[in-house]
Amino acid sequence: MTERAMQEPTLLLLTALADAPRHGYALIQEVDAISGGRVKLRTGTLYGALDRLLQQGLIEVAAEEIVDGRARRTYALTGSGRDVLAAEAERLRTVAAEAQRRLGGAVRPRGATA
């Protein structure tokens, strides 16, 4: 079965939910931290992705509460989401290992030339 590789924002969102349920703002912060500041999710992008992941059954709403007069949803990985994330992590590990093998195990520091 051939499936497309997971898009990075999706991978980061699922990773952010792997250890604990989180609400939207916390997810934005976690994605920023996990990516080392490279990926900054905007609110519209975040909630579009969360809606898609909910429809796919990879995440679920773990809790809803009212905070400062606004609804706050907390999201969690489903069992299926955990399986998909584990499979993607293994795929990436395999590709990275092959890249290392082909490089002869030598990794040059960034900016170094041959």
Side-chain angles (χ1 to χ4, degrees):
M1 169 166 102
T2 54
E3 292 183 20
R4 277 183 18 180
M6 187 179 289
Q7 296 295 311
E8 186 175 26
T10 300
L11 173 64
L12 292 170
L13 281 171
L14 294 178
T15 301
L17 290 170
D19 61 345
R22 291 188 166 82
H23 57 80
Y25 183 69
L27 284 168
I28 289 172
Q29 292 177 313
E30 282 295 307
V31 165
D32 183 67
I34 293 166
S35 71
R38 280 186 317 99
V39 177
K40 306 232 184 255
L41 288 179
R42 295 176 189 244
T43 305
T45 302
L46 171 68
Y47 287 103
L50 291 173
D51 285 344
R52 181 176 46 79
L53 294 170
L54 282 165
Q55 289 175 353
Q56 292 172 344
L58 301 180
I59 65 172
E60 63 189 358
V61 175
E64 287 188 83
E65 60 184 335
I66 304 298
V67 177
D68 295 330
R70 299 181 65 195
R72 175 187 282 179
R73 284 183 169 179
T74 299
Y75 300 90
L77 273 184
T78 61
S80 178
R82 191 166 292 283
D83 292 345
V84 166
L85 178 59
E88 183 65 4
E90 178 60 22
R91 184 191 71 78
L92 291 169
R93 189 202 61 74
T94 300
V95 171
E98 181 61 14
Q100 287 295 104
R101 186 190 70 76
R102 290 178 183 226
L103 287 168
V107 178
R108 289 189 206 118
R110 286 187 179 197
T113 58

